């Protein structure tokens, strides 16, 4: 059974940092693009970042939404079958439920319709 499980969320003060993890089971992340998405109350789900499969030839191996560029970093550890989202300089507007998702084409975008498998989501709250 293919499964993605997020962890690492929680409450943090503005300016603080969190690292989210997305662990896969039942399949190998290496062949998939992995995206991070978030959804705040009353808002649509938005793409935050994506890391493309190493099997895809592209000049851009990672993508970021403009709102998080320079603050968030996506990375993957294929040996651990896990993708991370390091979030620094967090702002109250980063508060949302964060989801990771897998795209079997390996290409990946910040468009959620590309993705086949989703985690259950994890809450991130940035507040003083």
């Amino acid at each position: 059974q293919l499964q993605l499980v997020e962890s690492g969320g929680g409450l943090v003060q503005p300016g603080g940092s969190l690292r989210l993890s997305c662990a896969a089971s039942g399949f190998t992340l290496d062949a998939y693009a992995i995206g991070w998405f978030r959804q705040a109350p009353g808002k649509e789900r938005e793409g935050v970042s994506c890391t493309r499969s190493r099997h895809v030839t592209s000049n851009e191996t990672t993508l970021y939404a403009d709102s998080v560029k320079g603050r968030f970093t996506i990375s993957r550890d294929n040996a651990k079958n896990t993708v991370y989202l390091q979030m620094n300089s967090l702002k109250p507007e980063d508060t949302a439920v964060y989801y990771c998702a897998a795209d079997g084409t390996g290409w990946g975008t910040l468009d959620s319709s590309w993705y086949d498998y989703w985690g259950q989501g994890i809450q991130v709250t940035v507040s003083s």
Side-chain angles (χ1 to χ4, degrees):
Q1 183 179 357
L2 280 67
Q3 190 173 17
L4 294 168
V5 179
E6 300 96 339
S7 62
L11 173 65
V12 64
Q13 293 186 342
S17 298
L18 283 174
R19 188 178 79 159
L20 303 183
S21 300
C22 173
S25 60
F27 68 106
T28 303
L29 280 179
D30 186 32
Y32 288 73
I34 304 299
W36 283 98
F37 295 82
R38 66 186 182 186
Q39 188 165 19
K43 294 188 177 181
E44 293 187 354
R45 187 172 298 187
E46 65 169 336
V48 174
S49 183
C50 159
T51 171
R52 291 177 165 151
S53 166
R54 65 182 178 89
H55 301 296
V56 170
T57 301
S58 172
N59 290 330
E60 291 183 305
T61 58
T62 58
L63 302 175
Y64 295 94
D66 287 343
S67 59
V68 305
K69 279 181 182 176
R71 300 188 299 123
F72 290 11
T73 303
I74 193 169
S75 62
R76 60 167 80 210
D77 185 334
N78 290 325
K80 294 183 177 180
N81 219 27
T82 299
V83 170
Y84 303 99
L85 185 69
Q86 178 66 43
M87 305 187 296
N88 298 329
S89 302
L90 283 162
K91 305 175 181 180
E93 51 263 44
D94 294 317
T95 295
V97 176
Y98 284 70
Y99 301 86
C100 65
D103 162 30
T105 71
W107 189 253
T109 72
L110 298 182
D111 181 347
S112 62
S113 66
W114 277 67
Y115 292 82
D116 309 299
Y117 307 104
W118 290 81
Q120 81 286 353
I122 193 163
Q123 179 70 45
V124 170
T125 302
V126 185
S127 175
S128 54

